[in-house]
Structure formats: structure tokens, C-alpha cells
């Protein structure tokens, strides 16, 4: 494929700022040879965390696989905004089949490559949280259990965004969505429901499971590169804020992703064969309130009479993550 | 030619193996299971070089098939009944994307009430999903149709279902000719995909298409089926040249010339029908038989041509459109548009009910004497239906339907004769 060198125009962001670093330790995003796998011209909202996450992840995967990469995509925002007929943003072989089968389609691609002896070509499946943790979960678990040679990327924006912000099993408690309205005795999404798929992935004892956010580019690229080099089933769960669904400023996408990690609500870690092998420590602990306040999906908690009981239940979830994953360096506290 | 006395499923497994599939997806459901078991054994034993995947559902089976076919591998799977419905979304997707997957349907009834025996409700429920549907009359034809199916699918880039009657064919031991590898290799070239996921030449497959082009894309799918109307007989002729026997094609007329009444059917029941027709012809009845091998595409012109001169057509169907009537008959009426020929529908063999020669003969005689209702069910126990309807009129909480009917009949375990 003909290759267009990247023109850097971003200023004042952390994403490509590492151009000042030595070339050997720069992020893939900061190299002029990055593949721009998800090219400009797509129809994502301004500040879309998913668009950013997908480009970061796929560019890293393209880099480490020497552009020998094929992707299967679930239905969802990423699929819809990237391929408005007759255009496509994808600079790699890409297939969209259905909402709930991306993992299985990728398994099929991997099987075909094995049949053809193409061990150099790597396979990615990707989808939103709904396509991963709900409707695609059967196929995902099957792909894990068979240890198929696929890297699954889940872009978690914590709701079904493409259909207008409905609750998924990855939607956190108290969140307002179109199907969990801030009404009644327990406004928003109920407590005591939902699942955290990275730990379920770990229960399959697959070679590699990790979480990441769009805020930490180096960490995200490191995990994608590592995963691509491992044979067998890999799962990477990427936290991607959605300005439209969350009622947040487009300019706050990176900030929110960072805050979710810094307050403990989204634990960033990696695990091999079912065991946690590394965590990204919280650099500067913040209360969940600081994170929640920036998002209108939590606005009902912050009226004239703030729902302090609900906020403290959310804080308790963050505290539990901090304990479970050891997110704080003991000497920091 | 060496004849082997083998189970239908084993014959199909061997035929599929001869086609050198590169990826096979397996998920168990009766009566299809023996086919993929047979293939799995060949792969394990090192006789067949293919990727054999035990998947977690039929939805996954078809989804894996979509991925592997799009990545350029010759891909095969098999299912039946609930399995076909469970994969339905992916079945439509495979044809929508134009991926030449070949799938065997071991035809079986659909629940509720759950029933493992043969009828055609499964493939008929997906008749308009964009796949080509070929129906085998015998185990030999099932073998031959699979070999033809890969060629047809890959030439058109359209998926093909080969439908064979569950148990009646899949589990029947018959003498069949399984061709040699050299014969099949000479007939079936290796798979040259029209579209492929290839890092050297990246393409996007499965883009969103709005009103500006959706119609055109769908019409192109229809055009493929119309092309198949020409290609299916060509491939059957080529098959005959290579293998020396008639197999496949669009339709198979039997004694239609001069027949006043022609019976139309699909699949294994054609054998019984031909036997009964032979007997009645010997008594002077002007009867003929028309087997439909290709139900999708539906050969309108060929059927119209084959039925020229007959007065009435009796369509015997192993499924029906609840709330309307015959499915095959509706299509046949389309073929006979404007001719004024009478089309009768008789539904038989639902859920494995035996289609006996005596009931068939009685039905044919009634049809010839204009004593058959336009839409009827062969060997229906009217009193059982009436009793259940009566109960519902009398009692509000009349209970689960199937269970009450079984109690009325006094059947404990299911039987099929
Ligand atoms: C079988 C099926 N059910 C429902 C839909 C409708 N649908 C399309 S995209 C989508 C939401 C996607 O949510 P998610 O996977 O979280 O991705 P996001 O859009 O949030 O990135 C839904 C419900 C569908 N396309 N297919
Ligand atoms: S709705 Fe959210 S996920 Fe979808 S394109 Fe907009 S910002 Fe991105
Ligand atoms: Mg989502």
C-alpha cells in the first residue's frame, strides 16, 4: 500500500509530545511512519475516545507485526463511523460481519491463516463494550477457551453508544443512560449489577489479559505490542471516554480517562495465564467526586442536595479496586 | 468405480474431504452430527489436512466460517433445525457478504414442540436468506451435490446449502460411489476468492450501506441467483462428463410427458412417490413426478416448461407456512402464472411422520378424482385437533398444548411410525 507520511499538527497534547524523546523510545504515534490504520475523514464525534483508542492500538499492532495484520470489527460506533459507504478509514484488511460475532470471525481468519501457513499475519478482533461484554460474550468466551490466536480489543465507553446511549453490562452504577434514567428510588443504573470482563477473561487462563486507557499512550502501546507477540488468545480492555454519551466536554476525553484511573474506578493492570503480573499505580489519588462531576451522566448526584450516600458507594467501589489490585504505592498514602 | 456400503453421513463426510476444505467448523446437533464427526476423525488421523474447530454454538460456527472464507480458505460446516435458526443472523450475513461457504443441512423439524425427526421446516424457514439451496434425493446425490456445491459457490461467490433428509438419508446405509481424489481434483479447481482479507492488498469488507446503494447491492445478490439458474445445469453436465452419472441440475422430471397429474416434491420422498406413481401408471393413471433439486434459485421457467400439458399439480411438502399454506406450492403457482393449471398442496411427513405408500396412493387417487382439498395434511388425526380446540373453548387454563395432545393420544414416548 502506498504510504503517506504523517503530518503532525497537534500541539499542547501529551499524545505526540514525546517527539522530543530519542527515536528509539518514542511512541508509535510519534513516529512519522505510523500507519494511521484508522485514517482521518471518519465520522466520529469530536473528542471520541474510541476513535483515538482504535488508532493507537492498531497503529501499534501494525508496527509490531510489520503491517501483517487483519481486523474483524463488531457493529457499533467504531464500525459505523469508520465506513460510511463508499468510503473507509481503514488502512488494513478489515471485515465487519455482525454485532455479536467479532471474536468468532477473527477465529475463522486465524484458522484460514493457519491452514495457509501464514504465521506472519496477526489477527485482531475489536468491538465496543456492548459487543464484547453482552451480545458477543459467548463468541468471546469460546475464542478464549480454545486459546485461538487472536488479540481482542474491547473499547469500553460504558454503554451502547451507537444506538443512543443505552445501558450495557459495563455501565457503572448510578449512571444515567437512555434505559437507566435518573428517576425513582434508585436513579440511574442500579448498584449490584454488571460485570468486569477482564477478570472473566483471566478466569479462562489465557496467556495475556490487560486493561489500559487512552490517557496513557505508552502503556497502551506497550500492551498491544506485547500481546501481538504472544501466540494464543489475548484480551485488552481499553477505557475510552465518550463525550456524547457521558455528557462531557470533547476536550476532556484524555483527562477523564486519566482521572478514572487516578481515582481507582478503572484499574489498569496486566495479567498472564490468569495471574496479575503488573499494575499501573495511581500517581496522585483523587476522590471519585472530581471525576464524576465532569460528566452529565452523573449530574443527578450533584444537584442542590448532592447524593452523598450514592457518591460514597461509588467511592467504596474505587477503594475496593485500590485494595484488590494494590493501586497505591504504600509509601504514597 | 467401487461401491461402498456406508452411512449417508459418512458418504457426505468423505465427499467433503475430497473437496479439500481448509477450515471446518463443527457443532453437534442431530441428525447432522455424524458428518462433522466423520470429518473430525479424518483430520485427527492425518488423512485430511484442514483446520477443524469445535466451536461453542452454531452462531459461532457460521461466524468462524465467515472469517475463514473471507480470509480465502475453502470453508465447510453442517447443521440442522434449531442449529440453523441459532445461526440465522450469520447465515444472512454470509450471503450478504458473498462468501462461498458450503453447508449441509440434515433436514429436521423445528421446535416447539421439540422434535428431532425429519421434515423441511429448517431450510424452508431460511429459503430467502440469499443462499443457494439444493435438495438431495438419495445419498449418492447428496455426495455428488456437495462436490458440485463447492464449484458453484466459488464460481459465483455465493454460499450453498446442500439439504438432505435427516435420518432418512443421513443415517441410512446404502451402496454409494465415493469418487477418487483424482476425479474430484480434476473437476474442482482450488479456491480463487473474488474478495480476500490480504495485508498485501487491504480491503474493507462489510461496510455500512445506506439507501443510496442498498437496493443495488441486494439486486446484485438476486442477479447471482439468476446466474445460478444457468450455472447449475452446466455444472451438472460437467459433473456427468467427469463422473459418468446424472446428478443435480435444477429439476428432475419423471414420466411428465403426457401426465395429467404431476406430483412435485423435494428430497428423499421422491423415491417413494416414484414407486407409487409406477404402480398407479401400471393401472393406467396418467401420473408424472417432478423433483425440484434447486429450490433457490427457484427455476420458474424450467418448471413451467416441465408442467406444460398437465392439468393439475399436487405439491407434496414437508413443511408449511403457518397461517397461509404451502411454501413450495406458492412458488409453483408463480411458475404457472396465467396457465390456469390447478395447484393442490398436501403437507406430509411433519416431524418425521412416515409417508406410507398406501397413504400416498390414496392421496394421488383423490387428487386425480378432484376429491382432494386444495390444502390438506396427509394422515392428519382430525379428532385429536378437534378435541384440543374443544378443550380450549371450554377451559380458560387449558394447559400446554403439546402435552395435552400427547395425553389425549395416550403416547408416552415418541414414536415415528
Ligand atoms: C443483533 C443486533 N442487536 C442489536 C443491534 C443494534 N446495535 C448496533 S450497534 C449497538 C450498540 C453498540 O454498543 P457498543 O458495543 O458498546 O459499541 P459503541 O457503539 O458504544 O462503541 C447496538 C445495540 C445490532 N446491530 N445487532
Ligand atoms: S457517540 Fe461516543 S463512541 Fe460514538 S462516535 Fe461519538 S464519541 Fe465516539
Ligand atoms: Mg459502548
Amino acid at each position: 500500500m502506498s504510504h503517506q507520511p504523517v503530518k503532525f499538527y497537534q500541539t499542547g497534547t501529551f499524545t505526540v509530545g514525546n517527539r522530543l524523546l530519542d527515536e528509539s523510545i518514542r511512541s508509535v504515534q510519534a513516529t512519522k511512519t505510523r500507519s494511521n490504520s484508522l485514517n482521518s475523514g471518519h465520522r466520529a464525534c469530536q473528542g471520541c475516545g474510541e476513535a483515538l483508542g482504535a488508532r493507537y492500538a492498531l497503529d501499534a499492532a501494525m508496527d509490531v507485526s510489520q503491517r501483517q495484520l487483519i481486523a474483524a470489527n463488531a457493529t457499533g460506533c467504531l464500525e459505523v463511523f469508520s465506513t460510511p459507504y463508499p468510503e473507509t478509514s481503514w488502512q488494513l484488511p478489515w471485515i465487519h460481519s455482525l454485532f455479536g460475532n467479532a471474536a468468532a470471525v477473527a477465529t475463522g481468519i486465524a484458522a484460514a491463516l493457519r491452514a495457509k501457513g501464514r504465521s506472519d499475519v496477526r489477527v485482531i478482533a475489536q468491538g465496543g463494550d456492548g459487543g464484547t461484554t453482552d451480545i458477543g460474550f459467548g463468541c468471546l468466551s469460546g475464542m478464549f477457551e480454545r486459546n485461538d490466536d487472536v488479540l481482542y480489543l474491547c473499547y469500553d465507553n460504558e454503554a451502547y453508544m451507537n444506538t443512543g446511549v443505552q445501558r450495557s453490562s459495563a455501565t457503572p452504577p448510578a449512571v444515567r443512560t437512555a434505559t437507566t434514567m435518573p428517576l425513582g428510588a434508585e436513579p440511574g443504573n442500579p448498584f449490584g449489577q454488571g460485570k468486569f470482563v477482564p477478570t472473566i477473561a483471566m478466569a479462562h487462563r489465557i496467556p495475556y489479559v490487560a486493561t489500559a486507557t487512552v490517557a496513557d499512550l505508552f502503556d497502551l502501546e506497550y500492551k498491544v505490542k506485547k500481546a501481538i507477540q504472544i501466540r494464543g488468545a489475548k484480551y485488552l480492555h481499553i477505557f475510552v471516554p465518550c463525550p456524547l454519551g457521558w455528557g462531557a466536554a470533547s476536550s476532556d476525553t484524555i483527562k477523564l480517562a486519566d482521572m478514572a484511573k487516578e481515582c481507582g474506578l478503572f484499574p489498569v493492570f496486566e495479567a498472564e495465564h490468569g495471574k496479575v503480573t503488573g499494575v499501573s499505580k495511581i500517581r496522585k489519588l483523587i476522590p471519585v467526586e472530581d471525576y464524576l462531576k465532569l460528566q452529565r451522566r452523573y449530574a443527578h448526584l450533584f444537584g442542590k442536595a448532592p447524593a452523598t450516600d450514592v457518591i460514597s458507594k461509588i467511592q467504596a467501589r474505587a477503594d475496593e479496586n485500590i485494595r484488590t489490585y494494590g493501586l497505591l504505592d504504600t509509601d504514597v498514602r | 468405480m467401487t461401491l461402498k456400503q456406508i452411512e449417508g453421513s459418512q458418504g457426505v463426510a468423505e465427499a467433503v474431504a475430497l473437496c479439500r476444505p481448509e477450515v471446518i467448523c463443527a457443532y453437534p446437533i442431530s441428525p447432522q452430527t455424524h458428518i462433522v464427526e466423520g470429518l473430525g476423525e479424518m483430520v485427527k488421523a492425518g488423512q485430511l489436512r484442514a483446520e477443524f474447530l469445535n466451536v461453542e454454538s452454531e452462531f459461532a460456527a457460521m461466524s468462524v466460517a465467515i472469517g475463514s472464507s473471507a480470509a480465502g480458505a475453502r470453508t465447510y460446516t453442517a447443521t440442522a433445525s434449531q442449529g440453523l435458526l441459532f445461526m440465522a443472523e450469520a447465515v444472512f450475513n454470509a450471503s450478504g457478504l458473498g462468501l462461498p461457504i458450503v453447508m449441509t443441512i440434515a433436514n429436521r423439524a423445528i421446535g416447539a414442540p421439540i422434535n428431532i425427526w425429519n421434515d423441511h421446516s429448517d431450510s424452508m424457514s431460511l429459503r430467502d436468506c440469499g443462499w443457494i439451496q439444493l435438495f438431495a434425493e438419495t445419498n449418492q446425490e447428496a455426495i455428488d451435490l456437495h462436490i458440485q456445491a463447492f464449484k458453484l459457490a466459488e464460481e459465483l461467490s455465493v454460499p450453498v446449502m446442500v439439504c438432505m433428509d435427516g435420518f432418512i438419508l443421513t443415517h441410512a446405509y446404502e451402496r454409494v460411489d465415493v469418487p477418487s481424489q483424482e476425479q474430484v481434483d480434476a473437476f474442482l479447481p482450488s479456491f480463487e476468492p473474488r474478495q480476500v482479507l490480504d495485508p498485501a492488498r487491504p480491503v474493507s469488507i462489510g461496510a455500512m450501506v445506506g439507501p443510496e446503494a442498498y437496493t443495488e447491492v441486494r439486486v446484485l445478490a438476486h442477479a447471482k441467483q439468476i446466474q445460478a439458474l444457468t450455472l447449475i445445469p452446466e455444472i451438472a453436465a460437467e459433473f456427468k462428463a467427469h463422473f459418468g452419472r446424472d446428478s443435480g441440475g435444477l429439476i428432475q422430471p419423471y414420466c411428465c410427458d403426457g401426465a395429467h397429474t404431476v406430483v412435485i416434491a423435494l428430497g428423499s420422498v421422491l423415491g417413494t412417490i416414484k414407486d407409487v406413481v409406477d404402480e398407479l401408471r401400471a393401472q393406467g393413471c396418467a401420473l408424472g413426478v417432478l423433483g425440484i433439486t434447486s429450490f433457490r434459485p427457484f427455476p420458474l421457467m424450467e418448471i413451467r416448461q416441465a408442467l406444460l400439458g398437465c392439468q393439475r399439480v399436487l405439491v407434496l411438502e414437508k413443511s408449511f407456512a403457518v397461517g397461509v399454506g404451502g411454501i413450495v406450492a406458492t412458488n409453483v403457482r408463480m411458475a404457472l402464472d396465467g396457465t390456469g393449471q390447478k395447484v393442490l398442496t398436501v403437507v406430509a411427513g411433519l416431524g418425521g411422520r412416515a409417508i406410507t405408500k398406501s397413504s400416498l396412493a390414496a392421496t394421488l387417487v383423490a387428487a386425480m378424482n378432484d376429491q382432494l382439498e386444495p390444502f390438506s395434511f396427509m394422515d392428519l388425526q382430525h379428532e385429536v385437533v378437534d378435541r384440543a380446540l374443544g378443550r380450549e373453548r371450554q377451559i380458560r387454563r387449558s394447559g400446554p398444548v403439546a402435552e395435552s395432545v400427547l395425553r389425549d393420544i395416550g403416547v408416552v414416548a415418541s414414536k415415528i411410525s
Side-chain angles (χ1 to χ4, degrees), chain B residues 203-388:
Chain B
V203 287
S204 296
I205 301 177
M208 178 128 194
V209 177
E212 66 285 351
Y214 186 82
T215 306
E216 288 68 25
V217 176
R218 296 307 298 153
V219 168
L220 285 167
H222 181 64
K224 287 278 173 78
Q225 294 257 337
I226 301 304
Q227 286 172 25
L229 287 173
T230 315
L231 197 56
I232 289 169
E234 281 174 18
I235 289 179
E238 207 182 319
F239 184 88
K240 186 173 185 180
H242 276 82
F243 300 87
R245 63 177 164 264
D246 280 313
S247 248
L250 296 168
I251 54 170
Q252 299 184 13
Y254 177 79
C255 303
C256 285
D257 286 341
H260 293 169
T261 303
V262 172
V263 189
I264 293 185
L266 287 67
S268 64
V269 72
L270 282 162
T272 321
I273 295 174
K274 286 178 201 167
D275 282 353
V276 172
V277 164
D278 283 345
E279 285 164 22
L280 290 173
R281 282 177 69 87
Q283 295 165 29
C285 302
L287 276 164
V289 184
L290 181 64
I292 298 179
T293 308
S294 168
F295 187 66
R296 284 293 180 273
F298 193 75
L300 292 169
M301 292 313 297
E302 290 74 8
I303 289 175
R304 190 182 174 99
Q305 194 69 29
L307 295 175
L308 271 180
C310 83
Q311 293 156 8
R312 79 175 73 66
V313 177
L314 173 62
V315 184
L316 185 138
E317 310 207 27
K318 285 190 174 185
S319 69
F320 72 107
V322 178
V324 183
I327 298 169
V328 183
T330 304
N331 288 261
V332 169
R333 279 195 194 94
M334 222 176 134
L336 297 180
D337 189 31
T339 66
Q341 286 158 295
K342 192 166 172 180
V343 179
L344 304 164
T345 312
V346 63
V347 180
L350 292 188
R353 178 160 294 178
I355 301 177
T356 62
K357 282 171 72 178
S358 60
S359 297
L360 248 181
T363 306
L364 291 191
V365 170
M368 284 184 297
N369 296 335
D370 281 329
Q371 285 165 347
L372 195 68
E373 295 287 320
F375 178 60
S376 63
F377 291 82
M378 190 185 284
D379 292 336
L380 177 67
Q381 304 170 68
H382 290 276
E383 67 289 355
V384 174
V385 174
D386 293 342
R387 191 164 162 189

Side-chain angles (χ1 to χ4, degrees), chain A residues 275-294:
Chain A
K275 301 248 170 6
V276 175
T277 52
V279 297
S280 297
K281 301 281 182 184
I282 291 171
R283 275 172 301 213
K284 185 173 176 299
L285 183 66
I286 57 165
V288 294
E289 201 173 328
D290 293 6
Y291 164 69
L292 305 178
K293 265 186 175 164
L294 295 177

Side-chain angles (χ1 to χ4, degrees), chain A residues 67-68 70 83 85 88 90 92-98 100-101 104-105 107-109 111-112 114-116 121 138-139 142 146, chain B residues 22 51 53-56 59 63-64 66-68 70-73 89-90 93 197-199 202-206 208-209 212-213:
Chain A
R67 304 193 176 203
Q68 298 302 302
I70 299 177
T83 53
Y85 182 86
T88 176
W90 299 104
L92 75 167
W94 177 93
I95 183 169
H96 161 248
S97 171
L98 296 169
N101 71 356
V105 173
T107 289
I109 296 168
R114 220 164 37 244
K116 294 184 178 298
V121 183
C139 287
R146 290 184 302 266
Chain B
E22 294 167 284
E51 294 295 320
L53 288 100
N54 283 298
V55 293
E56 72 282 359
F59 178 68
S63 301
V64 169
I66 286 168
S68 90
E89 193 193 12
N93 195 252
L197 295 165
D198 176 6
V203 287
S204 296
I205 301 177
M208 178 128 194
V209 177
E212 66 285 351

Side-chain angles (χ1 to χ4, degrees), chain A residues 48-58 155 214 220 238 240:
Chain A
C48 173
E50 189 163 283
L52 215 49
R55 199 188 71 214
Y56 289 177
L58 290 186
Y155 302 107
V214 278
L220 173 53
I238 309 172
V240 290

Side-chain angles (χ1 to χ4, degrees), chain B residues 189-204:
Chain B
S190 60
F191 176 30
E192 282 300 330
R194 287 184 179 268
Q195 53 178 348
V196 62
L197 295 165
D198 176 6
R201 283 166 66 193
V203 287
S204 296

